[in-house]
Amino acid sequence: MTGKLDKFCLVAAVFALLSLVFPLSGVHIETGKNVAFVADLPGLASAMVACVVVGVIFTWYGVTSVVRASILLLIVVFGAWQAVAALYHGGLAGYASYGFWMFILSLWALVWRAIDVIANYHTLENGKQQTANLIVPVAFGIWLLFLWEVTTAGCGVPQVLLPPPSMIGVRFVNSTGILWDDFRQTFLKAVIAGYVLGCGGGLIVAIAVDRVPFLKRGLLPLGNMVSALPIIGVAPIMVMWFGFDWQSKAAVIVIMTFFPMLVNTVSGLNAAGRLERDLMATYASGYWSTLFRLRLPAALPFIFNALKINSTLALIGAIVAEFFGTPIVGMGFRISTEVGRMNLDMVWAEIALAALAGTAFYGAVALAERKVTSWHPSFRVRRH
Amino acid sequence: MTLKAVVNNVAPMTASKDVVVDIQKMSLTFQTADGPVYALSEVDLTISRGEFVSFIGPSGCGKTTLLRVIADLERATGGDILVNGVPAQQAREQRAYGYVFQAPALLPWRTIESNVTLPLEIMEISREERIKRGHDALKLVELNGFEKKFPWQLSGGMQQRASIARALSFDADLLLMDEPFGALDEIVRDHLNEQLLKLWARTNKTVAFVTHSIPEAVFLSSKIVVMSPRPGRIIDIIETDFARDRTLDVRETPEFLEVAHRVREGLRAGHSYDD
Ligand SMILES: Nc1ncnc2c1ncn2[C@@H]1O[C@H](COP(=O)(O)OP(=O)(O)O)[C@@H](O)[C@H]1O
Ligand SMILES: [Mg+2]
């Protein structure tokens, strides 16, 4: 044991103890019934007792190892499961009261402490370290979803304001057909085409700008102006020019992504040092040879920076642009129409899809960056 | 009479064939915001084939600038400079020299092997030939086995050796080296000096070598050029005649100490160490 008491576990134990005493649900005004105590919900009661016991033990002995932190996480998982079960099967949904919330606070203290311990875990074994690095964000994300679920369900938040994640999940699974069509229209057509054209164009123009000094002075200020244009002004004009289908969305994305790539590549092309340029000069290396062998590789970190920024911009651009006219398919189209029909769960399912697609897209670019620029100091220190 | 004319015409040509670097009345002034910097003034120097010439002088005296002028990385503002009998720019375009910078300047995204074969790649030499020559060059600097490593996986001394291998890879007859071992500790430095000397003795290359270490200059050179600062000019040229296959032991001999003494006197006469 350590000299100090573990405060988080102490808090968890105290709240779990209180939750055993306080009412778990409020009074149903009309029927006067529905006041539940632990005695009515044996599953939840056992979880509360577990929290008290574990909280007390670890208050005394401390959460000194990852194994102990994992035990905490297991208890929290059990508690969370019982809490959700009590909400939906024990009749607490919409009427949860002090006791229930105190139990949630107790779980919160435990999960906080466990994640803290795992986040500070350092080992030389690669596999273990990677698992630990993975557990932290995953546990954190799941905990946030759980909080969202119990708050919306427990307080009976109206679904138009905020549906619980489980409901969004059900809607998502039941609408995969529609979601896939929307994804194909918005992401596979508009985003990919616009992203490739915008980034590719920015890269090529940057190389030209670098070669011709007057272009640099003329184009870069213009670029700043164009990137300051509001997308909601540009999108309707692009619909006029390129029609309702994905081409107009791709055009909006080209406008949004072109200049970040241009500006980044122009600075990247100047990243190669004087020494390296002199080195190439001693081999009488020509313009293109120096470009491909020295300047573009040296510019790669800058180029990837733009690729990452643009991956987020492209998806936002496509979705917003679809608000201004589209065939009857697409993520932006779906969001705007389902909002009008108060089908907020469908809206949220589309948002979830956008989040997934955006994260995957960004992740893929970041992974490629890691592979291609593994020589860069910001990556290689980790492998040492 | 005709015969004599022919001999007269041929004589200067054969003479210039053995002159690798020919500098006459060369000056260089940098125009800076704070006014002109007179880096080099009235430099006269010839380097013959097979010589090992060291340039020594206090920092800021224009050693690097002189080497860069020979390499056509800097343009003289006055005077003439011929390398292999042609203007410096033409010599650079003919890839007449290998240049070793003060820092290794290896490209971090290339392996040691592809760094060393970079000049060959630029010269569009076939892949098999590149690999073979890269291998040979790495062997010369005792770096074989490190082909697939990346620069940051090697120590500073090994990186500098790789950069020497790179300069050797395309087998130019002239090597220009700017304090290549300046950043290394003395033991590594001694070792590399010995290796460099062996290489020079074996290949009959011409070497121009910048240093600010007196023992290094005396040990390596067949000719020592002592320079004074501001504006940089040559104040003494000392020829040595140590055996080509000398070892580090030569540094204990009276002849060595005598030459070192003369270099030191020259540097002192230049009122160099005023910092
Ligand atoms: N590009 C440049 N612009 C202006 N001044 C320079 C430049 N390069 C070198 N100098 C100046 O020329 C002088 C000689 O420099 P350098 O040849 O590097 O000396 P060394 O190699 O002997 O230490 C120094 O005073 C330096 O400040
Ligand atoms: Mg220097």
Side-chain angles (χ1 to χ4, degrees), chain A residues 208-239:
Chain A
V209 162
D210 174 79
R211 190 114 213 237
V212 188
F214 79 80
L215 278 182
K216 194 179 216 156
R217 267 180 284 148
L219 253 180
L220 287 189
L222 185 75
N224 288 332
M225 212 182 73
V226 173
S227 39
L229 288 180
I231 174 179
I232 51 166
V234 176
I237 298 174
M238 290 302 126
V239 173

Side-chain angles (χ1 to χ4, degrees), chain A residues 48-197:
Chain A
M48 288 170 173
V49 172
C51 284
V52 175
V53 173
V54 169
V56 167
I57 291 174
F58 284 133
T59 301
W60 194 250
Y61 290 104
V63 189
T64 48
S65 68
V66 177
V67 176
R68 291 184 184 185
S70 309
I71 295 174
L72 284 191
L73 279 186
L74 282 180
I75 297 290
V76 172
V77 168
F78 176 65
W81 170 41
Q82 289 306 327
V84 171
L87 277 175
Y88 292 121
H89 305 301
L92 292 192
Y95 303 103
S97 186
Y98 307 111
F100 183 77
W101 299 122
M102 282 170 177
F103 177 58
I104 300 300
L105 283 177
S106 167
L107 292 181
W108 197 335
L110 290 183
V111 84
W112 185 289
R113 185 76 184 107
I115 291 182
D116 186 38
V117 168
I118 295 174
N120 287 319
Y121 174 67
H122 294 292
T123 175
L124 290 177
E125 282 175 69
N126 243 339
K128 281 187 184 174
Q129 184 70 57
Q130 273 167 5
T131 316
N133 291 348
L134 190 69
I135 285 180
V136 173
V138 168
F140 192 74
I142 292 176
W143 175 253
L144 285 184
L145 284 179
F146 170 73
L147 273 188
W148 178 357
E149 181 81 35
V150 293
T151 346
T152 47
C155 300
V157 176
Q159 280 159 22
V160 277
L161 290 187
L162 187 64
S166 61
M167 192 172 167
I168 299 169
V170 168
R171 166 58 70 190
F172 194 102
V173 172
N174 289 338
S175 332
T176 42
I178 296 176
L179 289 171
W180 168 248
D181 288 344
D182 292 346
F183 176 76
R184 204 171 49 189
Q185 170 75 12
T186 305
F187 195 91
L188 296 186
K189 288 180 184 165
V191 169
I192 298 289
Y195 183 78
V196 168
L197 284 177

Side-chain angles (χ1 to χ4, degrees), chain A residues 274-286 289 293-295 297-298 372 374-375 380 383-384, chain B residues 68 73-74 92-93 95 97 99 101 103 105-110 118-119 121-123 150 152 166-167 170:
Chain A
R274 170 147 185 244
L275 188 58
E276 285 78 16
R277 286 163 199 246
D278 282 347
L279 178 78
M280 297 306 271
T282 69
Y283 307 135
S285 168
S289 161
R293 296 204 170 89
L294 172 66
R295 300 181 67 209
V372 176
S374 58
W375 49 271
R380 72 189 185 208
R383 290 198 312 195
H384 230 351
Chain B
R68 287 173 62 84
L73 296 175
E74 215 82 71
R92 176 173 67 85
E93 281 159 6
R95 285 118 179 187
Y97 62 83
Y99 198 111
F101 293 88
L106 301 169
L107 304 183
W109 52 86
R110 284 174 166 254
L118 171 69
E121 200 183 304
I122 294 170
M123 293 168 200
F150 281 89
W152 52 273
R166 183 177 56 188
F170 57 107

Side-chain angles (χ1 to χ4, degrees), chain B residues 10-29:
Chain B
V10 167
M13 279 196 65
T14 40
S16 72
K17 211 174 168 231
D18 274 337
V19 174
V20 178
V21 178
D22 186 7
I23 300 174
Q24 273 167 22
K25 294 220 178 322
M26 193 268 283
S27 303
L28 196 152
T29 310

